[in-house]
Amino acid sequence: MLRGLIAAALAAGLLTAAGVSAQTVSLSGTLGADKALLMINGAPRTVAVGSTVQGVKLVSMAGGDAIVEIGGERRQLRFGGVQVSLGAAPVEGGGSRIVLPVGPGGHFFTQGSINGKAVVFVVDTGATTVTIAQSEADAIGLKYLDGQRGMVSTANGSVPSYRITLSSVRVGDVQVYNVDAVVLPASMSQVLLGNSFLARFQMRRDNDTMTLDKKP
C-alpha cells in the first residue's frame, strides 16, 4: 500500500544519458519494501529495486528513503529533505566549511564522494573511522582485500574487517586526503562519516544545523 506521500518531496536535477536536457526526480512514496513511487519529469513511475526507468536506477530502500543512481552517481532521496543534484559539473575541492541540516531521526546525512565516486554519508561521531559496507566498497571499486585484515565485534558476533586508507573524501567543495577507513560485511545504506574524517574539523551544532570548519 502506498504510504508516506509528501507533496514537497526531494527534487534532483539530473542529466539525461545524452546530456542534452535536464531531468527532475522526486520521491513521492513507497510501495512495500522494494518499490518506490518516483516522479520523473513530472510523471509518476513505479520503480523496483534494481530496475532502471528513464535512466534513473533505484539502488536500494531503507527506512522509507531511497538511493537512486544516474550516470554512475548516487544520491539519497528523503521525504522533506533538501534538494540534491546529479550530473553537476565538478568544482575544485578547496573549500573549508561544511554546513549540514538535520535529517530524519536527528541524523545528519549528506552527499559526497570517496576517491571521486559518489556515496551517501551519515555523520557518526561514535565511529572511530569512516566505515563502509563491503557491498558499497565493491560498488565504488575499493580494493579493500589488499588492506589490513582484522576482526571486529558486532551484535551478531565477530566479523572480518579490512583497514584501508582512502585517497580522498569529499563533501560539497571540501576535500581531505589520506583518510583511514574500515570495510565491514555490514548491511548499511550509507557510509558512516567517522572521526578519521571529522577530527580534521572544528565541529559545532546550532539547533538543527551542524557546521564543520576545516582545521589549518
Side-chain angles (χ1 to χ4, degrees):
M1 180 177 179
L2 182 64
R3 59 184 176 87
L5 282 173
I6 295 183
L10 286 172
L14 306 179
L15 299 179
T16 64
V20 176
S21 59
Q23 288 179 301
T24 58
V25 178
S26 63
L27 176 62
S28 293
T30 60
L31 293 159
D34 61 354
K35 293 181 181 178
L37 179 62
L38 302 180
M39 296 294 290
I40 303 177
N41 292 338
R45 296 287 185 267
T46 299
V47 185
V49 171
S51 298
T52 301
V53 175
Q54 293 180 224
V56 180
K57 180 179 180 180
L58 180 59
V59 177
S60 63
M61 295 174 58
D65 299 342
I67 304 295
V68 297
E69 178 180 302
I70 186 170
E73 292 187 71
R74 293 187 181 187
R75 291 294 184 267
Q76 181 176 23
L77 303 183
R78 303 198 308 270
F79 295 126
V82 297
Q83 287 189 344
V84 297
S85 178
L86 290 173
V91 296
E92 294 298 325
S96 61
R97 172 171 288 185
I98 300 168
V99 180
L100 304 175
V102 71
H107 299 293
F108 291 89
F109 297 91
T110 184
Q111 319 299 325
S113 66
I114 291 175
N115 296 354
K117 302 292 186 178
V119 298
V120 178
F121 292 112
V122 58
V123 174
D124 188 347
T125 57
T128 303
T129 65
V130 172
T131 304
I132 310 166
Q134 282 188 8
S135 57
E136 183 73 18
D138 290 334
I140 62 176
L142 294 181
K143 296 182 178 180
Y144 59 89
L145 294 177
D146 296 335
Q148 180 183 351
R149 194 177 190 277
M151 300 293 292
V152 297
S153 297
T154 70
N156 297 319
S158 295
V159 297
S161 65
Y162 299 89
R163 291 192 173 275
I164 59 175
T165 299
L166 305 173
S167 297
S168 65
V169 175
R170 178 170 176 158
V171 177
D173 65 346
V174 180
Q175 185 161 265
V176 297
Y177 301 92
N178 301 320
V179 179
D180 290 338
V182 63
V183 177
L184 301 174
S187 177
M188 300 186 298
S189 56
Q190 298 92 23
V191 175
L192 304 185
L193 198 59
N195 287 305
S196 57
F197 177 87
L198 298 174
R200 304 195 188 188
F201 297 82
Q202 295 287 350
M203 182 169 56
R204 71 176 186 274
R205 178 171 178 175
D206 300 310
N207 297 320
D208 292 337
T209 301
M210 177 178 287
T211 302
L212 303 174
D213 287 306
K214 195 174 182 181
K215 295 178 181 178

